[in-house]
Amino acid sequence: MRALRLFQGRVLLLTICAAGIGGTFQFGYNLSIINAPTSHIQEFTNETWRMRTGRPLPDHLVPLVWSLIVSLYPVGGLLGALLAGPLAITLGRKKSLLVNNIFVVATATLFGFSRRADSFEMIMLGRLLVGVSAGVSMNVQPMYLGESAPKELRGAVAMTSAIFTALGIVMGQVVGLR
């Protein structure tokens, strides 16, 4: 009996870590990491515009484009939050979290190839998609963890979403240090 409880405890811990790293950790990380590459992304946007048109982006439009890139994340979060309920009901909580990783992979692909494609629009679309992922994970992950935990641990386990969000924010800040 003791061995079974120990095994169940380990499975629960692995479930918490997998869901946390694949879900709300990414939300926190993407929330805070955008501050670090500000000048690089603005320069990339200006370079891309210059290559396309032969002249640089007007000075007043560089902050506008940057603001759009930053603000697409919460817009995507809103869309993801609206998508989370129907997704969780249709696919179930676990499959919803797994399908949600498609947005993360698509985002990484867009970010990774944006320079090669000379497209700052890919960064915009990537920010939108990672926002959708964050919106889904912030809603589905606590449901999944709450349903996975035994009754006496349910509250504590559901609160780990906030812990992983905070860890993601800290990691984003640390990675952004010079």
Side-chain angles (χ1 to χ4, degrees):
M1 185 66 178
R2 184 166 168 20
L4 177 64
R5 293 201 87 168
L6 186 63
F7 175 74
Q8 288 174 334
R10 286 183 180 161
V11 169
L12 181 62
L13 182 63
L14 287 173
T15 301
I16 291 168
C17 290
I21 292 169
T24 56
F25 177 85
Q26 291 180 30
F27 162 70
Y29 181 81
N30 285 297
L31 185 68
S32 66
I33 194 64
I34 195 64
N35 298 322
T38 300
S39 60
H40 299 292
I41 294 175
Q42 287 178 339
E43 288 171 18
F44 171 65
T45 303
N46 214 359
E47 279 175 31
T48 305
W49 192 265
R50 187 179 294 119
M51 265 189 343
R52 291 178 187 171
T53 65
R55 51 194 152 86
L57 195 61
D59 288 338
H60 68 283
L61 289 182
V62 174
L64 180 68
V65 172
W66 172 247
S67 298
L68 185 61
I69 290 170
V70 171
S71 63
L72 281 170
Y73 182 71
V75 170
L78 174 64
L79 296 174
L82 294 172
L83 181 67
L87 200 62
I89 291 169
T90 305
L91 299 177
R93 278 65 160 149
K94 184 178 180 179
K95 285 183 184 171
S96 295
L97 289 173
L98 292 172
V99 166
N100 192 35
N101 289 323
I102 292 170
F103 294 115
V104 177
V105 170
T107 297
T109 304
L110 286 167
F111 287 166
F113 289 107
S114 63
R115 184 164 291 279
R116 181 168 285 179
D118 292 322
S119 173
F120 61 87
E121 295 87 359
M122 290 172 73
I123 295 174
M124 290 178 172
L125 182 59
R127 285 290 288 176
L128 182 72
L129 291 179
V130 80
V132 171
S133 170
V136 170
S137 68
M138 287 299 293
N139 288 284
V140 176
Q141 182 183 331
M143 285 190 275
Y144 173 66
L145 292 176
E147 292 172 359
S148 299
K151 205 181 313 180
E152 61 273 7
L153 296 175
R154 200 163 285 157
V157 169
M159 286 306 298
T160 60
S161 297
I163 293 168
F164 278 99
T165 299
L167 287 172
I169 291 170
V170 168
M171 184 62 75
Q173 292 294 319
V174 168
V175 168
L177 293 174
R178 291 177 186 218

